[in-house]
Amino acid sequence: MMKIVLLSGGSGKRLWPLSNDSRSKQFLKVLEDSEGKSESMVQRVWRQLQQAGLGDSAYLATNRSQVEMIMSQLGSESPLIVEPERRDTFPAIALAATYMYDVESLPLDTVITVMPVDPFVDAAFFRKIKELENVLAETDANLALMGVVPSVPSEKYGYIVPSDKRLAGTEALRVNHFVEKPDRAQAAALIEQKALWNCGVFAFRLGYLIEVMVQKGIPIQYEAMLKHYNKLSKISFDYEVVEKEASVVVVPYDGYWKDLGTWNTLTEEMSRSQIGTGIVTSDSVNTHLINELDIPVTVIGVSDAVIAVSPDGILVTAKSESPRIKEVMNKIEKRPMYEERRWGRYRVIDYVKYTEENEVLTKRILVRSGKNISYQLHYKRSEVWTIISGVADIVINDKLYQVKPGDVVRIPEGTRHSIRAITDVEFIEVQSGTELIEEDTVRICMEWKDIPLH
């Protein structure tokens, strides 16, 4: 049975300020499902995979910074293959291959189909993906790609240039060569040659990639691969494998496909022009307001624009200029001010660095009913929790207490602590210490049932 690997990466620059290092574009809940409920791109694709009968054979290949977000949106049982550190698509796919080969012991003739986690497509796209398994079986190809029939001569995508000859019994064409992001005139000429957009979907047999890895001296045992991972080159699968392979075919897909990678393309697919608190006047034509804060935002007489407001910052841009955001924000590095976790979410309210020896960070935290944070401790900071709403159990140094609104919990440096929500619970957390970083979190255990109680 074919396996699907969804690649979930990205640094979150192109849809700033809603996206950041922990909340890339695929996690933004700005779309709607058929019932009008908000959903993210990853939730939409995961739902479509289930509807296409491919859900049970799908994995998400991701990096550590996105694990909590995926669990929050898709559930804690999501089948994850996690990179030890962020590299590129070739290392990520190679790691997934070793997992399937060594941990799951899948046969070498198993077909692996790799795709991005966030294309905006309809059901026909997944029906076409299913055909890739047959294409590999009916041809002598080592790689089968899916190429989108272009609607316009776009400069944003790479192009696959096929030969004219259709392979017997299939829709597949031999690949002649690839062209990376041409200018508009070159793109128009490529379309005349029946070139296709490279949408990042390709299939191969597991044994093929294992053989490639052996030839390159890369470990094919999962644990060895994890230890070796930081030595792998940061290179895309396209450059490292696809463009060096002689036996490649492509299957044309003449259906709906869109990359919602910029604010102007994303807002075209949003069913509402306003999300969050604010006013957009009627003479503000084709303008979108997305506001995650509680403060109102008023837009008067501004057309063809995006105004996006989050704890990370405020963006005001003409839609046509929104793709420039990555270059404009390229040198600005800032800690994420909003994150979703497997247990709930938090928002940074305030961060002050008083001296070299003293930082103070204030968060508003929501832990959902029945969920818990890990049993953990910190060496470089103390915390004070003020319960705002809800009821929860907490454990402090292996002793169990119950807290309610108005209670204050003090957690000195080196104190083991956790909280489990009985109802949805919100609290204000004030951290103070010499260095307020995630690396100062020592997790003793993740599950509530594993916490020792006295």
Side-chain angles (χ1 to χ4, degrees), residues 117-296:
V117 77
D118 55 2
F120 193 81
V121 294
D122 55 23
F125 183 84
F126 296 97
R127 290 196 292 272
K128 184 64 69 174
I129 278 179
K130 289 180 178 180
E131 294 176 18
L132 294 178
E133 186 171 21
N134 290 334
V135 167
L136 284 176
E138 293 169 11
T139 68
D140 60 351
N142 287 325
L143 285 164
L145 281 57
M146 197 159 92
V148 175
V149 177
S151 54
V152 293
S154 174
E155 304 162 55
K156 294 191 298 182
Y157 310 122
Y159 285 73
I160 304 165
V161 184
S163 66
D164 294 332
K165 189 177 179 183
R166 193 172 295 279
L167 297 170
T170 73
E171 289 186 66
L173 301 161
R174 290 278 177 205
V175 172
N176 192 309
H177 63 280
F178 299 90
V179 178
E180 183 62 29
K181 293 184 180 177
D183 60 34
R184 185 167 289 272
Q186 191 182 5
L190 287 167
I191 290 174
E192 290 293 316
Q193 300 172 48
K194 307 293 185 189
L196 305 163
W197 285 337
N198 187 348
C199 62
V201 178
F202 49 87
F204 53 83
R205 296 175 191 85
L206 177 59
Y208 166 74
L209 187 53
I210 294 297
E211 188 176 323
V212 167
M213 292 168 65
V214 169
Q215 290 171 358
K216 293 180 181 294
I218 297 172
I220 58 173
Q221 279 72 42
Y222 185 66
E223 291 300 325
M225 177 62 155
L226 289 173
K227 292 174 184 174
H228 183 79
Y229 202 75
N230 64 351
K231 298 181 177 67
L232 295 178
S233 299
K234 290 184 178 181
I235 190 169
S236 73
F237 193 86
D238 280 347
Y239 287 150
E240 185 69 359
V241 178
V242 179
E243 295 186 13
K244 295 177 181 177
E245 175 57 55
S247 181
V248 187
V249 298
V250 62
V251 176
Y253 167 65
D254 192 4
Y256 195 78
W257 175 87
K258 200 169 185 180
D259 174 23
L260 305 186
T262 58
W263 276 115
N264 53 338
T265 55
L266 178 58
T267 51
E268 286 172 2
E269 301 301 336
M270 288 171 56
S271 56
R272 289 178 289 163
S273 61
Q274 180 178 332
I275 297 175
T277 305
I279 297 169
V280 180
T281 59
S282 59
D283 57 345
S284 298
V285 180
N286 190 32
T287 285
H288 280 74
L289 167 64
I290 303 96
N291 181 11
E292 291 192 327
L293 300 185
D294 296 328
I295 58 174

Side-chain angles (χ1 to χ4, degrees), residues 6-15 19-27 61-67 69-70 83 85-89 92 116-118 261 326 336:
L6 297 169
L7 296 179
S8 179
S11 60
K13 288 283 198 304
R14 290 193 295 170
L15 291 173
S19 61
N20 55 39
D21 275 349
S22 66
R23 183 171 60 153
S24 297
K25 66 173 182 175
Q26 59 265 33
F27 302 115
T62 189
N63 52 69
R64 286 182 175 179
S65 67
Q66 295 186 357
V67 168
M69 187 72 78
I70 289 172
E83 294 179 280
E85 60 183 72
R86 188 179 285 174
R87 299 202 79 70
D88 208 324
T89 56
V117 77
D118 55 2
K326 192 169 184 178

Side-chain angles (χ1 to χ4, degrees), residues 43-84:
Q43 288 174 317
R44 176 186 165 92
V45 167
W46 196 250
R47 171 173 58 79
Q48 290 175 314
L49 279 169
Q50 308 294 330
Q51 291 168 347
L54 296 168
D56 291 341
S57 60
Y59 303 80
L60 292 120
T62 189
N63 52 69
R64 286 182 175 179
S65 67
Q66 295 186 357
V67 168
E68 296 270 348
M69 187 72 78
I70 289 172
M71 287 184 172
S72 170
Q73 295 200 355
L74 301 183
S76 57
E77 303 304 313
S78 305
L80 303 180
I81 300 170
V82 183
E83 294 179 280

Side-chain angles (χ1 to χ4, degrees), residues 38 58 100 102 130 218 241 263 297 312 338 342 359 380:
S38 296
M100 294 181 195
D102 184 42
K130 289 180 178 180
I218 297 172
V241 178
W263 276 115
V297 175
D312 279 25
Y338 174 91
R342 60 184 174 80
E359 300 177 29
K380 297 181 180 181

